Amino acid sequence: MSMLYRFYKKSEIFRMLIIALLGVVLGFITYELIYYLNPLSPRATLSWTLAFLIGIWRQHALHRRFTFLNQSPYFESLIKAYIADIGVLVMSTLLNWWLSEILDLSHRLVWFICLIVASMASFVCLKGYVFKVKRD
């Protein structure tokens, strides 16, 4: 029995947590690369925004393939992911700006706080809208 097959046999919650952890690692690497290369100000907030937009695409693909096993058309669910996460993006970007620019917190601490807040909001969007199973 392959490792991937055993992974699919695990509960959806377990798969979601594993893919979320993978997303955190990949998201932090993405953010750090963007932050390092970003010459524009406010640096932390702009880096968060770009990394978040990239993360929507990445996490959508990972959750679609490994968590929710969704069979709807790919671009339909991707568009729904971007629509659902626009509110999360706006809210977390404003939070990022306030924490980094007004409170002058470390950009990594701000990234982590925004990650927690955005993750909770995105979970509701993912399960309830983007990958919602249609009942006949």
Side-chain angles (χ1 to χ4, degrees), residues 15-29 58-59 62 66:
R15 292 191 316 264
M16 183 174 44
L17 288 173
I18 297 301
I19 296 304
L21 288 173
L22 176 61
V24 166
V25 171
L26 294 173
F28 184 69
I29 292 168
R58 181 193 58 247
Q59 285 308 110
L62 288 170
F66 298 109

Side-chain angles (χ1 to χ4, degrees), residues 11-39:
S11 72
E12 184 178 273
I13 296 286
F14 176 83
R15 292 191 316 264
M16 183 174 44
L17 288 173
I18 297 301
I19 296 304
L21 288 173
L22 176 61
V24 166
V25 171
L26 294 173
F28 184 69
I29 292 168
T30 302
Y31 171 79
E32 283 292 314
L33 285 170
I34 293 169
Y35 186 87
Y36 177 76
L37 297 172
N38 182 8

Side-chain angles (χ1 to χ4, degrees), residues 28-77:
F28 184 69
I29 292 168
T30 302
Y31 171 79
E32 283 292 314
L33 285 170
I34 293 169
Y35 186 87
Y36 177 76
L37 297 172
N38 182 8
L40 304 174
S41 188
R43 189 174 180 193
T45 304
L46 292 173
S47 300
W48 165 264
T49 303
L50 184 54
F52 189 97
L53 289 169
I54 293 168
I56 293 171
W57 166 77
R58 181 193 58 247
Q59 285 308 110
H60 169 268
L62 288 170
H63 280 304
R64 179 182 167 79
R65 176 75 170 102
F66 298 109
T67 303
F68 299 114
L69 309 177
N70 189 278
Q71 298 302 317
S72 67
Y74 179 82
F75 285 107
E76 178 183 311
S77 62

